[in-house]
């Protein structure tokens, strides 16, 4: 069970793919919000159960109904990959009914030590993938993630091809937004990155985002260049996943798009502001070399936050220490 958020749900996918490959006779049921169903399409032996948070499964009585609904599927063991109140209630009900259960350890103490301002413990913490693996191990299914399985690149339909045109260019995805400002690369610097990449006509640069405000910004970023296209608002979510699976590289903040691209087997370059990959959110199967972090010699309190939701005075410009040319070089490195 993992209900949200987008990036966190995407981070369960590589683990579940490994599970169905290593335990082909075991059936999985993933409980999540309906919006995330396309993440799991095509995974064999996996059934998607839609969590109806607005009606049927709303409130405490709704959680009782959720337990009752899922129980009908003859579940033998319950893995809580979310560890929030709602998932804890369902997990407890399964335990009381005599089923095996395991809950992900979010490692809150270690993350607190990593992000505190004083006496910081600056070290790599277990990744979320390792934490998910531990859940399945406790349920009796040890997993090995060293030989990951990814889906084939999707065949792009006519709607997408009409928008992106020429298929002979290298496809670079750029997702310049994140939930919190402290994780967003300054737009004027991103504009420089896009301009430098757009000079190379063998590249096609596709911009990803969502919502009216982001679409307006992406339009302004794309407008000066023939080979830069704003994809936001032009295709459906499922089509967006299909397009991302065809990228040669994705440039993203520490955000959901990085995890979506990674779960599809795409190379990902990530930019980090208030957060840091040491907290365990490095996208799946990506190397630390492909992460560009803000300069800790200038901003020694970094990382100041696990999720980017804490603003530290004087650290507003931390991401400006990541120079645009360095970002361009890192993206182009992926083609060599």
């Amino acid at each position: 069970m993992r209900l949200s958020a987008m990036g966190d749900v995407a981070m369960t996918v590589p683990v579940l793919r490994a599970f169905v490959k290593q335990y082909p006779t075991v059936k999985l049921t993933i409980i999540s919000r309906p919006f995330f169903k396309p993440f799991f399409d095509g995974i064999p032996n996996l059934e998607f159960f839609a969590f109806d948070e607005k009606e049927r499964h709303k409130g405490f009585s709704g959680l009782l109904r959720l337990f009752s609904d899922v129980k009908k599927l003859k579940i033998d063991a319950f893995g809580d990959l979310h560890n929030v109140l709602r998932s804890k209630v369902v997990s407890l009900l399964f335990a009381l009914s005599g089923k095996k259960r395991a809950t992900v350890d979010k490692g809150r103490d270690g993350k607190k030590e990593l992000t505190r301002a004083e006496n910081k413990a600056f070290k790599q913490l277990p990744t979320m993938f390792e934490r998910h693996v531990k859940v399945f191990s406790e349920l009796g299914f040890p997993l090995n993630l060293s030989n990951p399985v990814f889906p084939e690149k999707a065949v792009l339909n006519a709607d997408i091809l009409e928008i992106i045109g020429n298929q002979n260019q290298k496809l670079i995805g750029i997702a310049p937004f994140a939930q919190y400002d402290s994780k967003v690369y300054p737009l004027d610097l991103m504009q420089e990155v896009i301009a430098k990449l757009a000079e190379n006509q063998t590249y096609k640069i596709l911009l990803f985002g969502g919502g009216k405000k982001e679409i307006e910004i992406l339009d302004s970023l794309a407008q000066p260049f023939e080979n830069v296209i704003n994809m936001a608002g032009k295709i459906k979510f499922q089509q967006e996943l299909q397009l991302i699976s065809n990228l040669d590289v994705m440039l993203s903040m520490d955000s959901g798009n990085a995890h979506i691209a990674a779960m599809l087997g795409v190379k990902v370059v990530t930019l980090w502001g208030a957060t840091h990959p040491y907290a365990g959110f490095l996208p799946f199967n990506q190397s630390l070399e492909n992460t560009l972090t803000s300069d800790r010699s200038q901003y020694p309190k970094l990382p100041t936050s696990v999720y980017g939701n804490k603003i530290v005075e004087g650290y507003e410009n931390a991401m400006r220490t990541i120079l645009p040319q360095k970002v361009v070089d890192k993206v182009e490195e992926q083609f060599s």
Side-chain angles (χ1 to χ4, degrees), residues 252-305:
S252 174
M253 307 303 107
D254 170 24
S255 69
N257 275 300
H259 297 296
I260 290 172
M263 80 174 190
L264 294 169
V266 174
K267 292 179 183 176
V268 182
V269 173
T270 41
L271 308 184
W272 302 71
T275 59
H276 194 280
Y278 275 9
F281 296 99
L282 178 68
F284 182 69
N285 203 41
Q286 308 295 321
S287 70
L288 272 177
E289 285 71 31
N290 282 352
T291 66
L292 296 176
T293 56
S294 301
D295 188 351
R296 291 192 69 246
S297 64
Q298 293 184 49
Y299 297 94
K301 293 179 182 175
L302 291 174
T304 57
S305 176

Side-chain angles (χ1 to χ4, degrees), residues 9 30 52 60 137 149 181 192 195 242 270 274 287 312 325:
V9 177
I30 177 77
D52 183 1
F60 183 73
S137 180
V149 180
D181 289 346
E192 282 188 48
Q242 293 167 356
T270 41
S287 70
V312 174
Q325 187 60 52

Side-chain angles (χ1 to χ4, degrees), residues 240-252:
E240 198 167 291
L241 296 181
Q242 293 167 356
L243 180 55
I244 290 174
S245 79
N246 280 266
L247 295 178
D248 292 286
V249 59
M250 170 69 94
L251 170 63
S252 174

Side-chain angles (χ1 to χ4, degrees), residues 147-218:
N147 294 300
V149 180
F150 298 106
E152 296 287 326
K153 288 184 178 184
V155 176
L156 300 179
N157 63 28
D159 292 344
I160 301 175
L161 292 175
E162 189 177 337
I163 297 171
I164 68 169
N166 183 358
Q167 276 284 279
N168 296 322
Q169 293 163 296
K170 290 194 180 302
L171 296 181
I172 301 173
I174 298 182
F177 302 109
Q179 187 176 3
Y180 299 107
D181 289 346
S182 70
K183 301 199 294 182
V184 177
Y185 195 51
L187 280 176
D188 60 313
L189 300 188
M190 182 56 80
Q191 207 162 15
E192 282 188 48
V193 170
I194 291 171
K196 285 175 186 287
L197 289 171
E199 288 173 5
N200 189 328
Q201 292 300 312
T202 67
Y203 298 160
K204 178 142 290 177
I205 299 156
L206 307 174
L207 306 181
F208 294 91
K212 188 181 173 187
K213 187 181 172 187
E214 290 185 8
I215 289 173
E216 286 176 2
I217 294 171
L218 294 177

Side-chain angles (χ1 to χ4, degrees), residues 302-321:
L302 291 174
T304 57
S305 176
V306 175
Y307 305 108
N309 52 340
K310 292 178 188 170
I311 298 172
V312 174
E313 193 177 346
Y315 276 56
E316 297 83 359
N317 291 323
M319 287 191 90
R320 289 190 174 277
T321 60

